[in-house]
Amino acid sequence: SQTIHQWPATLVQPVGSPLSLECTVEGTSNPNLYWYRQAAGRGLQLLFYSVGIGQISSEVPQNLSASRPQDRQFILSSKKLLLSDSGFYLCAWSEAGHTEAFFGQGTRLTVV
Amino acid sequence: KQEVTQIPAALSVPEGENLVLNCSFTDSAIYNLQWFRQDPGKGLTSLLLIQSSQREQTSGRLNASLDKSSGRSTLYIAASQPGDSATYLCAVRLGGSQGNLIFGKGTKLSVKP
């Protein structure tokens, strides 16, 4: 069966520090991968998606970037965090062909 | 631009009651619609997926319907239990090469014993 792992679960970082959140999927090949952010009082906002290794599409211009160094690994990064980067970050995957989407347990990021 | 709305934003019911959560979307050109459950501080758990060609899907006490032409979906929960308390999110998947999910803001359900 397929599983998705996301870490860390919580993170407190100072303004200006770098960020690296990692997501891996097991039990499938060539999945579509997604990073979403959920801010308080707002819906989930798609940040990045990837349909293959090295293929990254950005939905919202901002202080973040994403990379897909391996087929089932998706990384969300920032060189310098802003206070506005605080939120709940969720990684998701689905098989190519737009089937059911599955989410990780999320990372609660607090920038102080 | 596709927009997804969920009404009500919050709902409190006594245990045992049947209830309906509503989801509406502005553009009927969707690939599928998915209902999720989110417990506080946790990720999303997929409940039901309805393809655009389908009218409804059932899983246990849950039944989701889809009326694509009117841009509506409902999630019916039968015989609600305190363990059903959570936020329920509706998401539509766009067609095309990217197939992104567009989410509503959710309905926060509280089932009181």
Side-chain angles (χ1 to χ4, degrees):
Chain A
S1 64
Q2 300 90 353
T3 56
I4 180 169
H5 302 280
Q6 189 180 339
W7 68 93
T10 60
L11 191 60
V12 180
Q13 292 284 94
V15 170
S17 64
L19 172 74
S20 180
L21 303 182
E22 189 162 345
C23 172
T24 60
V25 181
E26 297 177 354
T28 187
S29 296
N30 196 32
N32 291 344
L33 296 172
Y34 307 86
W35 277 112
Y36 284 85
R37 178 168 60 198
Q38 187 177 36
R42 301 177 65 180
L44 274 80
Q45 179 187 39
L46 178 66
L47 302 176
F48 301 96
Y49 68 92
S50 172
V51 298
I53 295 175
Q55 300 179 59
I56 309 294
S57 295
S58 173
E59 285 295 300
V60 183
Q62 55 201 315
N63 187 41
L64 301 169
S65 62
S67 61
R68 184 171 178 172
Q70 300 180 42
D71 181 43
R72 290 167 289 176
Q73 184 185 29
F74 205 22
I75 297 173
L76 182 68
S77 304
S78 174
K79 292 182 179 178
K80 290 185 178 182
L81 284 168
L82 306 172
L83 287 174
S84 58
D85 291 324
S86 293
F88 192 52
Y89 289 83
L90 289 154
C91 180
W93 77 273
S94 67
E95 292 188 353
H98 317 315
T99 57
E100 191 171 4
F102 299 94
F103 281 75
Q105 286 300 298
T107 296
R108 173 70 61 190
L109 172 65
T110 303
V111 183
V112 296
Chain B
K1 177 184 175 185
Q2 178 72 270
E3 293 184 358
V4 180
T5 303
Q6 290 187 248
I7 295 173
L11 181 64
S12 181
V13 300
E15 182 178 3
E17 199 164 287
N18 302 326
L19 59 101
V20 174
L21 306 180
N22 296 293
C23 172
S24 61
F25 46 96
T26 54
D27 187 343
S28 61
I30 63 170
Y31 194 85
N32 58 41
L33 184 145
Q34 197 167 351
W35 282 94
F36 295 89
R37 167 187 173 136
Q38 185 176 29
D39 292 292
K42 303 294 185 182
L44 276 63
T45 299
S46 178
L47 296 174
L48 289 164
L49 171 73
I50 310 177
Q51 300 293 349
S52 61
S53 58
Q54 297 176 321
R55 297 285 292 183
E56 65 177 336
Q57 283 287 332
T58 298
S59 176
R61 293 182 295 107
L62 305 179
N63 176 277
S65 69
L66 174 64
D67 184 342
K68 202 172 75 161
S69 60
S70 67
R72 295 177 186 273
S73 176
T74 61
L75 179 66
Y76 175 83
I77 303 178
S80 59
Q81 303 171 358
D84 295 330
S85 298
T87 296
Y88 290 81
L89 294 159
C90 163
V92 298
R93 186 183 285 278
L94 306 178
S97 60
Q98 57 190 44
N100 299 336
L101 284 171
I102 307 297
F103 282 84
K105 293 184 179 180
T107 293
K108 186 175 182 179
L109 174 66
S110 176
V111 181
K112 300 191 181 302

